Amino acid sequence: MTTEHTRLAAALRELRAGAGLSLAALAERTAYSKSSWERYLNGKSLPPRQAVRELCRLANEPDGRLLALWEIAESHWSGRAAAPAPAPPTDESPRSHAQEPPPAGTGRRRLGGSRLLVVLVSAYTVIVGGVAVLLFLLLPDSEAQEAEPLPASVPFSLAPQCHGAACEGRDPMRLICGLGPETLASYRTATGAHVELRHSKKCGASWARTWGTEIGDRVDVTAGGPTHGVRIRNKDDAATFRYTEMTEVRPGSTVRACFRPASADGEQECFEARVGEAATRTRPPSPR
């Protein structure tokens, strides 16, 4: 199971759990069986591209990020990412090589050609691998904290990888805190963007999630300690979910999120939620 496949499977599990979809529900609403979904979510087999799209549709989430993850995972799964370059065509037919003995003194030249072919194939493999890594780094959620190592193996049921202060400033998706989180509050901004305050009881941490944004928008989150934020940098960020880093919280803590629109004349919008209270859903006040 490659790193890319591990990342895809973890993202699919987080999406399914966040949408509250059971394996039976997935089987009823898609063309794939319960056993197939178990294999896809467990990382035992790579899901079809359509299965990824169907899960995003059922969860009512944009499919851009997960489809990009699928493309990279599929290229490594199928071996296309490391396929050697075909040998260049030659004007000479195979029969002429079989019938004519090699001229004297050409042994060293043939050895040099073989070495050159090996170098070219190796360079091709490095270039393809480098492109895959570059695409991986340009995906959403690929900020500095993405450098943290992934677990060597990812079983179907994952335990959080941090708790409390150990989660401060770290990525909730990579640390498995985003698997089945609680939504403390939902907010729709004046520009139409959505912001949610998310909380993981097992991790003892909260963060903000946003979508429907525009390039240049920013979301910050704090629970009385450090402030962590995420900025929408490009159209790929704007087309999918973006998450802030986590902040440590305890029962009864107040978590505050602030949305800053890209437009210079836009006003900052903030809302709060208390850990342990019922979720709230708010909207900006209507103009009088």
Side-chain angles (χ1 to χ4, degrees), residues 4-150:
E4 293 77 14
H5 189 190
T6 298
R7 182 177 172 84
L8 173 64
L12 292 175
R13 286 193 297 273
E14 192 273 340
L15 183 59
R16 180 193 72 87
L21 295 167
S22 66
L23 293 178
L26 288 174
E28 291 175 359
R29 302 180 190 181
T30 68
Y32 308 96
S33 65
K34 286 176 60 177
S35 59
S36 295
W37 279 112
E38 190 276 333
R39 291 194 301 273
Y40 302 155
L41 297 170
N42 196 7
K44 293 179 181 177
S45 62
L46 188 73
R49 189 176 191 273
Q50 185 59 32
V52 176
R53 295 189 66 181
E54 286 294 299
L55 179 55
C56 291
R57 178 182 62 82
L58 291 174
N60 194 29
E61 302 213 5
D63 60 12
R65 175 174 176 265
L66 284 177
L67 289 180
L69 285 174
W70 181 88
E71 292 286 349
I72 296 178
E74 193 278 335
S75 67
H76 284 75
W77 179 278
S78 63
R80 291 187 294 108
T90 176
D91 294 335
E92 298 180 359
S93 65
R95 179 175 297 178
S96 64
H97 284 289
Q99 293 178 349
E100 298 178 8
T106 60
R108 179 173 300 177
R109 188 190 313 170
R110 288 177 177 273
L111 179 59
S114 299
R115 288 177 177 173
L116 177 60
L117 179 59
V118 171
V119 171
L120 290 175
V121 171
S122 300
Y124 176 84
T125 302
V126 170
I127 292 172
V128 171
V131 170
V133 171
L134 179 59
L135 288 175
F136 177 79
L137 292 175
L138 290 177
L139 286 172
D141 297 341
S142 61
E143 300 187 7
Q145 65 269 24
E146 292 288 346
E148 298 175 6
L150 284 168

Side-chain angles (χ1 to χ4, degrees), residues 220-262:
D220 294 313
V221 66
T222 183
T227 298
H228 303 291
V230 61
R231 182 178 295 279
I232 308 305
R233 300 165 299 179
N234 50 48
K235 63 180 181 180
D236 292 330
D237 284 357
T240 188
F241 289 95
R242 295 290 287 137
Y243 304 84
T244 68
E245 299 94 344
M246 292 182 282
T247 184
E248 178 188 10
V249 297
R250 295 181 175 85
S253 296
T254 297
V255 189
R256 178 181 176 88
C258 290
F259 173 82
R260 301 178 185 177

Side-chain angles (χ1 to χ4, degrees), residues 253-288:
S253 296
T254 297
V255 189
R256 178 181 176 88
C258 290
F259 173 82
R260 301 178 185 177
S263 58
D265 57 347
E267 296 183 359
Q268 176 175 284
E269 303 174 48
C270 299
F271 65 104
E272 297 180 347
R274 188 178 297 274
V275 176
E277 293 185 352
T280 59
R281 193 176 293 270
T282 57
R283 296 178 176 232
S286 301
R288 297 180 179 178

